[in-house]
Amino acid sequence: WQWHFGEGLVRSPDNFGRLGERPTHPQLLDWLAKRCIEQGWSLKKLHRLIMLSAVYQMSTKYNDVAAQQDPENRLLWRMNRQRLEVEELRDALLAVGGALDDTMGGTHLATENRKYVTSTANVNPVVYQNNRRSIYLPVVRSALYELFQAFDFADPSVLNGRRDQTTVAPQALFMMNSALVLEQSQRLANALLMRTELDATGRIGALYVTAYGRPPTPVEVQRDAAYLARFRLAATGKVPATEVESRAWRSLCRAVLAANEFLYVE
């Protein structure tokens, strides 16, 4: 429930004792536990039950009256806006760039099981430079992947029922300057430019559908077209003529991927 809604039915997942918070919906908690037992303790069925519920399918639309009565949304009068966790963010970047490897199973640590000694010197950073889903990346306590560190990955040395969520400058800098975002922006730009049947407006529309799952508004199309024109003008004489168009679209793709709409789930 916490993973789907951002907050659990008990908002202190690391403390279910007397000093922890009381359930916001105790009857629902009991009912879900009973259903889980009746369905053979199947967590897949429990996830399906939650995701097919009306409360899960609500929008994040704001309501002044409801907000005054329940400002923390404890009664779930709307869906909470949630930021993608770091594994989801990395996978989403690879997916929009067409680079995500969805092969299942396997490991990236060459060391045999139980023969690995944790130390920074034993970790080759190349192990993180692949396109497999993030769930398959190794978690080494002394050499945590830098992307994980930037976006609130839990400390792997201690138990943690809920990750902290911060909004700090290095996160924005990562989305604008990291090699991962730059590479996927270039791949996305190349894919758009290869669609010769589309004009600039059509490519902008395809970009928004790929990144946001929706078509752009007329204002967004006009704004992005103006951005591309300014970039081309500024790059003239400074960038080889054969690269101007590619770099212009790469820059626009990077700006779209760095926006909050890509990072947050409505």
Side-chain angles (χ1 to χ4, degrees), residues 137-259:
L137 294 185
V139 177
V140 182
R141 286 179 291 180
S142 60
L144 197 63
Y145 183 27
E146 61 178 7
L147 171 59
F148 287 1
Q149 298 180 59
F151 284 91
D152 304 320
F153 190 80
D155 184 349
S157 300
V158 297
L159 296 174
N160 195 331
R162 179 174 57 188
R163 296 179 184 180
D164 294 329
Q165 187 173 106
T166 61
T167 303
V168 293
Q171 295 167 350
L173 293 174
F174 179 91
M175 294 301 296
M176 291 303 298
N177 301 319
S178 73
L180 173 64
V181 177
L182 180 62
E183 179 182 353
Q184 300 313 311
S185 298
Q186 185 65 71
R187 289 178 61 93
L188 180 54
N190 292 343
L192 292 171
L193 289 172
M194 288 178 63
R195 300 187 61 176
T196 55
E197 78 280 7
L198 298 177
D199 57 8
T201 300
R203 290 192 180 107
I204 292 173
L207 170 60
Y208 273 70
V209 170
T210 301
Y212 299 156
R214 65 167 179 85
T217 65
V219 173
E220 289 171 331
V221 172
Q222 183 179 11
R223 180 189 62 192
D224 292 352
Y227 176 84
L228 290 170
R230 290 197 304 271
F231 189 99
R232 296 185 189 105
L233 182 62
T236 302
K238 301 177 183 178
V239 176
T242 56
E243 298 182 14
V244 171
E245 196 68 11
S246 175
R247 292 197 184 189
W249 280 95
R250 182 183 70 182
S251 180
L252 177 60
C253 290
R254 182 167 52 182
V256 168
L257 296 181

Side-chain angles (χ1 to χ4, degrees), residues 30 37 48 58 81 190 198-199 261:
D30 289 343
I37 295 172
R48 185 181 299 111
M58 288 193 301
R81 182 177 290 108
N190 292 343
L198 298 177
D199 57 8
E261 187 168 351

Side-chain angles (χ1 to χ4, degrees), residues 1 9-10 22-35 75:
W1 190 275
L9 293 174
V10 177
R22 304 290 295 174
T24 55
H25 301 74
Q27 294 87 356
L28 175 59
L29 181 60
D30 289 343
W31 185 82
L32 287 172
K34 185 171 182 286
R35 282 295 299 269
L75 299 179

